[in-house]
């Protein structure tokens, strides 16, 4: 996996915050964390939780795909893919190439789409054993589709809790308050797809 360190993510957060004209103290107030925590994240010595990351992305107007891949000059259109060059043409991404970030509250996200797509996120999410229930709910634009590949994932949507076991799937509007955790003694592996509700607006997952 291509692990993204928090100093890289922090630099992108800081750049977007400055571009939005928001002070670190004001951002901290808006997302419900301390100014020192925002400072630590931007310096790469701290990590946001899932709710804080979503909240920060919303406040500084940056999408998750921009955190995985900062904006770059558009490359020339590729030639039609052939069986020999699917990797080079961005059709196939090998197991060791997925950009990956570790969140402070347990989940590990790996992006499965080869390149950033403004209207969708395709993720593998790993929950380590014994992760706690998030104190805050997550809400954002979009619609989520998930399936548990292994383990037992604890889920709460609109105050209703259940457990998803291997093979169980879930679909819901991301505006509904939700959170995920893993109280079991085994790792949970899930595949998640988040589709933007309005084409052209970026919307990420937890």
């Amino acid at each position: 996996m291509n692990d993204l360190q928090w100093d890289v993510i922090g630099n992108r957060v800081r750049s977007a915050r400055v571009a939005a004209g928001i002070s670190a103290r004001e951002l901290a107030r808006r997302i419900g964390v301390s100014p020192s925590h925002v400072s630590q994240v931007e310096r790469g010595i701290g990590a946001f939780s899932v709710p804080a990351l979503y909240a920060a992305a919303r406040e500084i107007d940056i999408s998750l795909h921009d955190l995985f891949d900062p904006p770059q000059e558009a490359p020339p259109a590729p030639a039609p893919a052939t069986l020999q060059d699917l990797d080079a043409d961005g059709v196939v991404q090998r197991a060791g190439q997925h950009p990956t970030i570790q969140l402070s509250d347990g989940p590990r996200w790996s992006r499965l789409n080869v390149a950033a797509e403004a209207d969708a996120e395709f993720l593998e999410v790993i929950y380590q054993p014994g992760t706690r229930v998030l104190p805050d709910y997550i809400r954002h634009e979009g619609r989520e589709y998930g399936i548990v590949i292994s383990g037992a994932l604890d889920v709460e949507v609109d105050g209703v809790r259940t457990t998803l076991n291997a093979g169980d799937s879930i679909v819901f509007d991301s505006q509904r308050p939700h959170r995920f955790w893993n109280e079991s003694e085994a790792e949970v592996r899930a595949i998640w797809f988040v589709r933007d509700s309005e084409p052209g607006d970026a919307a990420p997952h937890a």
Side-chain angles (χ1 to χ4, degrees), residues 69-126:
D69 286 327
Q72 298 177 350
E73 186 174 327
T82 69
L83 292 178
Q84 285 73 41
D85 63 6
L86 292 180
D87 293 52
D89 285 341
V91 175
V92 171
Q93 181 174 227
R94 301 300 174 180
Q97 300 173 336
H98 307 310
T100 300
I101 59 174
Q102 178 72 49
L103 283 301
S104 69
D105 47 2
R108 182 182 181 89
W109 289 348
S110 296
R111 193 190 69 201
L112 302 180
N113 39 318
V114 177
E117 297 183 26
D119 301 327
E121 291 294 336
F122 181 32
L123 302 169
E124 177 187 53
V125 185
I126 302 295

Side-chain angles (χ1 to χ4, degrees), residues 58-172:
R58 181 179 63 249
E59 294 296 337
I60 61 180
D61 194 24
I62 189 172
S63 63
L64 285 196
H65 71 80
D66 284 333
L67 291 176
F68 277 108
D69 286 327
Q72 298 177 350
E73 186 174 327
T82 69
L83 292 178
Q84 285 73 41
D85 63 6
L86 292 180
D87 293 52
D89 285 341
V91 175
V92 171
Q93 181 174 227
R94 301 300 174 180
Q97 300 173 336
H98 307 310
T100 300
I101 59 174
Q102 178 72 49
L103 283 301
S104 69
D105 47 2
R108 182 182 181 89
W109 289 348
S110 296
R111 193 190 69 201
L112 302 180
N113 39 318
V114 177
E117 297 183 26
D119 301 327
E121 291 294 336
F122 181 32
L123 302 169
E124 177 187 53
V125 185
I126 302 295
Y127 295 84
Q128 295 302 317
T131 54
R132 60 187 175 85
V133 181
L134 297 174
D136 299 315
Y137 289 100
I138 304 159
R139 297 181 66 176
H140 53 86
E141 297 294 330
R143 188 166 180 81
E144 308 201 15
Y145 306 76
I147 184 167
V148 173
I149 304 302
S150 62
L153 180 65
D154 299 295
V155 174
E156 182 175 345
V157 179
D158 275 339
V160 179
R161 296 189 178 191
T162 191
T163 299
L164 301 180
N165 295 298
D168 293 343
S169 58
I170 186 171
V171 179
F172 63 96

